[in-house]
Amino acid sequence: MKIEGIAFRGFNVTPKTNWCFVEVRTEDGLVGLGECTLANHEPLMAAEVSRLEANWRGADARDRNRIARLLPHAPGGLVTATALSALDQALCDLAAQRNGEPLYRLLGGAVQETVRLYANINRGANPRTPEGFAAAARRAVAEGFGGVKLAPFEPMVWEDGRTPANRAAYAEGLSRIAAVRAAIGPDIDLMVDAHWRFSPGGAAQLICDVADAGLFWLECPVAEANHREITRLRGMANARGMRLAGAESLSGLAAYRPLVEAGCYDVLMPDAKHAGGLEEIRRIAALAQTAGVEIAPHNPTGPVCHAHSVHLCATIPNFMVLEVQYGETEAFFDIVQGESLRFIHGTAPLPRAAGLGITLNPGEIPPWKRMDRPWLDPRLG
């Protein structure tokens, strides 16, 4: 299974969204697929994939454990970690294709036959008013999702202080949360992503202000490095009946270990695009399991990461629920071919085909374009 080539493929799918993928070709004609989407970093990602291709061309595609040794020394930070994660995904796809079995069996087999999903409605809410968010939430619930998530506090950021604009954005965010809760009723899980917009003091106030909304979890309230304050906020959230979730953009087991040891989060959210690959997330999940911490992978981007995440989540004993980007674009389903990625009553069934189960559609798709105000930038919404 010698690697013949590694290709970067980037596509523009909405006015605010690019998706990026890696294809690994072997000399015997197999193609493995991974996702390396990282908003507004497409030129760097293309260069990093080219560097990987130079280093891995001619290597045996079965030797994916080499990635675990490279990750702690990744010179390019999140860009390098994301490219390595995509390479790991693609090599796992190739290995499962070679074995003639679905990818989840390569990872040791499933502990559940379907994967529970929740709908991230943030990009599907239009207009971005409380009513617009509520309408998006109702659509998700009508399709069978048992949980919805929104990121309601754009464009505030705590360093700007208590300006009139920040106070107005905060009040609007609380109104969006209240409107969504009213729209979905008390029995649907409601998650709120704060996108690191708050100081510890501001986050403490937020926890008090949303206590009546019955949140299932509050996500990423403050900077990930502030372990002591995150642990304090977790205690405040738990006392009001909600979990604290986070750690979506970290890479490698070593980055997650301090969070687990400090008791920062109830729910960890490693991303198959950034954390170092599928096996690395399984190691992170095993560490978390020893502390009673649940795993809900971050997954708000393209269909390839979603397909890998479904295989992965099926194998994790302490898996809770998987994020999906809901209502952004039909390209999520159309850009790939093979097994259907359509959601079934808020769940994803396990694929049965060999490997990942999907390939990129050979049709023409617009190339990625530079976005100077990327959607995923937490400061820009």
Side-chain angles (χ1 to χ4, degrees), residues 29-102:
L30 295 179
V31 177
L33 190 58
E35 181 164 345
C36 58
T37 299
L38 188 61
N40 207 38
H41 289 72
E42 294 85 358
L44 291 174
M45 194 62 63
E48 185 64 22
V49 171
S50 178
R51 187 183 72 84
L52 285 180
E53 204 242 358
N55 290 333
W56 283 76
R57 190 189 312 116
D60 194 317
R62 294 171 295 184
D63 292 337
R64 63 183 186 277
N65 280 344
R66 288 174 53 192
I67 293 172
R69 299 184 63 184
L70 295 172
L71 192 65
H73 312 290
L78 190 59
V79 171
T80 299
T82 300
L84 288 171
S85 298
L87 176 60
D88 175 85
Q89 295 168 36
L91 296 183
C92 285
D93 182 12
L94 286 169
Q97 288 182 52
R98 174 69 66 181
N99 291 350
E101 61 185 9

Side-chain angles (χ1 to χ4, degrees), residues 128-153:
R128 301 188 67 73
T129 60
E131 294 76 18
F133 276 92
R138 280 191 292 267
R139 290 192 294 270
V141 171
E143 291 192 21
F145 286 94
V148 298
K149 183 172 82 176
L150 69 159
F153 292 109

Side-chain angles (χ1 to χ4, degrees), residues 254-315:
Y256 282 86
R257 178 181 171 185
L259 298 177
V260 174
E261 292 180 343
C264 290
Y265 291 115
D266 300 284
V267 183
L268 291 177
M269 307 182 71
D271 190 315
K273 297 185 305 299
H274 309 315
L278 306 185
E279 291 287 6
E280 191 74 356
I281 292 180
R282 283 168 49 80
R283 288 186 278 268
I284 293 164
L287 174 64
Q289 188 177 13
T290 67
V293 175
E294 295 170 293
I295 299 295
H298 184 248
N299 180 41
T301 46
V304 174
C305 181
H306 173 68
H308 277 287
S309 296
V310 169
H311 284 280
L312 170 68
C313 290
T315 72

Side-chain angles (χ1 to χ4, degrees), residues 152-157 160 165-166 168-170 176 197 378-381:
F153 292 109
E154 60 198 42
M156 70 163 289
V157 58
D160 289 343
N166 252 6
Y170 184 67
R176 290 166 172 171
R197 294 182 183 275
R379 295 176 179 270
L380 302 177

Side-chain angles (χ1 to χ4, degrees), residues 121 128-135 137-138 148-153 169-186 188 190-193 206 208-215:
I121 63 170
R128 301 188 67 73
T129 60
E131 294 76 18
F133 276 92
R138 280 191 292 267
V148 298
K149 183 172 82 176
L150 69 159
F153 292 109
Y170 184 67
E172 178 75 356
L174 294 179
S175 296
R176 290 166 172 171
I177 294 169
V180 170
R181 173 50 83 195
I184 64 179
I188 300 297
L190 176 58
M191 297 84 151
V192 168
D193 189 347
L206 172 63
C208 294
D209 288 343
V210 300
D212 291 341
L215 299 191

